[in-house]
Amino acid sequence: MKHIIIMGATSGIGLRIAEIYATAGWRVGIAGRKDDVMKELRSRFPKQIEWSHIDITHREAPRQLKSLIDSLGGMDIYLHISGIGYENPSLNSEHEIATVRTNVLGFTQMIDTAFKYFRDSCEGHGQIAAITSIAGTKGIGQLASYSSSKKFQQTYLQALEQLANTLSLDISFTDIRPGWIRTPLLKADREYPMTMELDRVAPLIIKAIRRRTRVAVIDWRWATAYFFWRLIPGRLWVRIPLQVSTPATPVETIEQKVTESLEAQPE
């Protein structure tokens, strides 16, 4: 029987993926901050689910993750989903710092704990997967700390992959980069370009994990945007007045906005 730990499994993507793995017969360790959600999920899958209240920004989080692994009976895959983000063009410092604390500091200590577990307890075998974001491709003005933190996550996974190869460890890394997904993280009164539904996204994420895909951009529309975003020089990118959301009215896609902005640039 396979074992997976899902960090951030109390809503949205994490909760749906935990349900899918438990239904498939996996042993699933779930962690987050909503005890009632985790208790309810365990009541539905008492033989599959173990849970733990973990705030990844706290100093005790690594120890709590180790305890959850022990309760589960081991870990084959660590899936990191925990994260926060704000649309914050006013640069509210509290929001910016909270994002960095969760998406950088919390991410680092949990990923490090998983890496060390596979290195020391599994003879160097295992898989680390993380939901980063398409937002990590470029710095986005309205999502300054969020897009920057996601770039950090992507670079950190790459660095650990190099470290694993240097140490001759058989640890694989899967960096999953979705666009906007209709989850509680998004504001209900806003519209976001190319928003995807959770029922479509969850199977694609699980497929990427199963195939051990190194970088998986979810879905094909965002893969197209990702391809073109990377080609835009920094000096042009910073001049694009990119809007990440609008009031709940029809919106243009990000590709259209990028194209229009590039066409407006002087020769």
Side-chain angles (χ1 to χ4, degrees):
M1 184 181 293
K2 292 287 189 178
H3 302 72
I4 183 172
I5 298 284
I6 302 174
M7 186 63 59
T10 58
S11 66
I13 301 171
L15 179 57
R16 182 62 55 85
I17 290 178
E19 292 171 335
I20 293 172
Y21 274 110
T23 300
W26 283 55
R27 288 276 288 159
V28 183
I30 57 174
R33 296 184 296 177
K34 298 177 182 177
D35 292 4
D36 55 337
V37 174
M38 293 187 286
K39 289 177 181 179
E40 193 279 331
L41 191 59
R42 177 173 168 84
S43 71
R44 290 163 50 199
F45 301 99
K47 295 182 179 180
Q48 266 68 51
I49 297 289
E50 298 291 340
W51 69 275
S52 177
H53 182 107
I54 300 178
D55 182 336
I56 65 171
T57 66
H58 285 185
R59 188 174 299 176
E60 289 296 305
R63 180 191 62 77
Q64 294 168 332
L65 173 56
K66 293 174 186 176
S67 295
L68 179 59
I69 294 170
D70 290 341
S71 298
L72 194 66
M75 178 173 70
D76 299 296
I77 300 172
Y78 175 78
L79 174 58
H80 190 95
I81 301 178
S82 293
I84 62 172
Y86 300 92
E87 251 182 274
N88 192 21
S90 66
L91 294 181
N92 177 297
S93 294
E94 182 178 342
H95 289 170
E96 296 295 277
I97 292 170
T99 300
V100 172
R101 184 179 297 117
T102 298
N103 295 358
V104 175
L105 300 180
F107 174 88
T108 299
Q109 70 173 354
M110 304 318 292
I111 293 293
D112 283 2
T113 302
F115 184 96
K116 293 173 186 176
Y117 171 81
F118 290 134
R119 182 195 65 191
D120 300 335
S121 304
C122 296
E123 299 181 347
H125 297 280
Q127 181 179 8
I128 295 174
I131 306 293
T132 65
S133 174
I134 192 73
T137 309
K138 298 279 189 181
I140 299 175
Q142 291 185 322
L143 303 170
S145 61
Y146 181 77
S147 59
S148 300
S149 69
K150 292 302 179 177
K151 184 64 174 180
F152 171 89
Q153 293 178 357
Q154 293 163 7
T155 304
Y156 201 79
L157 292 175
Q158 183 182 63
L160 289 193
E161 183 177 23
Q162 184 186 66
L163 178 60
N165 288 330
T166 300
L167 298 175
S168 299
L169 303 176
D170 184 26
I171 302 175
S172 63
F173 294 83
T174 299
D175 179 350
I176 300 162
R177 304 179 184 182
W180 298 120
I181 304 171
R182 182 52 66 184
T183 68
L185 188 63
L186 299 187
K187 296 179 180 179
D189 63 344
R190 308 289 288 181
E191 293 228 9
Y192 298 81
M194 297 190 295
T195 305
M196 299 176 289
E197 295 300 323
L198 192 55
D199 287 339
R200 169 173 169 72
V201 171
L204 295 176
I205 291 173
I206 291 172
K207 181 179 179 180
I209 294 171
R210 184 179 70 250
R211 292 185 172 183
R212 295 178 180 262
T213 305
R214 179 59 188 84
V215 175
V217 180
I218 312 291
D219 60 0
W220 70 268
R221 298 169 303 165
W222 284 104
T224 302
Y226 172 72
F227 174 81
F228 286 109
W229 281 15
R230 291 186 301 164
L231 299 179
I232 301 172
R235 64 185 179 84
L236 293 182
W237 176 263
V238 297
R239 295 179 179 276
I240 296 172
L242 192 65
Q243 297 291 321
V244 299
S245 73
T246 63
T249 57
V251 296
E252 296 169 295
T253 65
I254 282 183
E255 293 103 316
Q256 289 172 322
K257 287 183 175 292
V258 169
T259 300
E260 291 170 359
S261 298
L262 288 175
E263 289 175 347
Q265 296 297 322
E267 294 294 334

